[in-house]
Amino acid sequence: MSVELVLLFILLIVAAVAGVLIYLQRSRQRQAAPPPPAAPRDPFADQGDSAAGDPRSIKAGDMIDWGAERTWIRGTLRLSEGGYVWSEHFLEVEGGKRWLSVEEDPDVELALWSGRPDLELTPHSKTIELEGVTYRLQEKGSGSYRSEGTTGLKAQGGLDYADYESSDGRLLSFERFDHGGWEASTGTKVAPGTFTIYPGS
């Protein structure tokens, strides 16, 4: 065997050993590297992780425990206007119509509503007087809905709405679906954690 071949063989062995050592060193550095820091988060934002459950995840079939009362979600409307979305969850009640609305704007906002078919009002002014209370128009618009469970509406369609609020926080709302008549409802704001959510099957 010539001297050149011996030298070439030795160089190949040295190169292979050096490659293995470099690979092992880089592998150790990757393992020893500390994990990246957690992404910053708003300490005051609603994380939806309370023991009461996340109201943004409510769906038809869930049970709601108010403490003194339990009820079930019969159906849900998923509403949208542009990129903004919110939900209305219809409660199992006798002799009336009640629902829970859930919005994120940016914090979670909840309200409990009662249908008021006794009212012959329409949202055609900036203020409305009702039972000695003055309500002022907050917002109005048009959007679309998707129905889940039992809501009394089609699987999907369009809606118009107008929302009013009094100086002491009482709510008055009007909705009409698929160009039908206006339906009035009154509501009160609900604090997160007021009720407990038990997911249905």
Side-chain angles (χ1 to χ4, degrees), residues 170-181:
R170 284 184 267 189
L171 306 172
L172 173 66
S173 182
F174 296 87
E175 293 178 320
R176 63 180 176 186
F177 298 94
D178 304 312
H179 307 292

Side-chain angles (χ1 to χ4, degrees), residues 35-65:
R41 74 182 230 189
D42 179 357
F44 301 104
D46 182 357
Q47 303 299 323
D49 54 3
S50 72
D54 185 353
R56 295 168 294 189
S57 66
I58 295 174
K59 63 188 182 309
D62 290 352
M63 185 177 76
I64 305 294
D65 187 343

Side-chain angles (χ1 to χ4, degrees), residues 17-31:
V17 170
V20 169
L21 290 174
I22 290 171
Y23 171 78
L24 290 173
Q25 183 180 8
R26 287 185 179 168
S27 180
R28 279 194 210 105
Q29 287 175 346
R30 277 197 296 268
Q31 291 174 356

Side-chain angles (χ1 to χ4, degrees), residues 96-117:
K97 183 177 175 184
R98 282 199 310 165
W99 63 95
L100 177 71
S101 64
V102 181
E103 302 182 47
E104 200 168 1
D105 188 26
D107 295 325
V108 175
E109 297 177 5
L110 310 172
L112 186 61
W113 299 89
S114 296
R116 296 291 304 270

Side-chain angles (χ1 to χ4, degrees), residues 64 66 69-75 89-100 112-115 150:
I64 305 294
W66 300 91
E69 176 189 5
R70 285 186 176 178
T71 187
W72 281 261
I73 303 296
R74 294 288 312 277
H89 306 286
F90 293 88
L91 307 177
E92 173 79 8
V93 293
E94 292 183 18
K97 183 177 175 184
R98 282 199 310 165
W99 63 95
L100 177 71
L112 186 61
W113 299 89
S114 296
T150 302

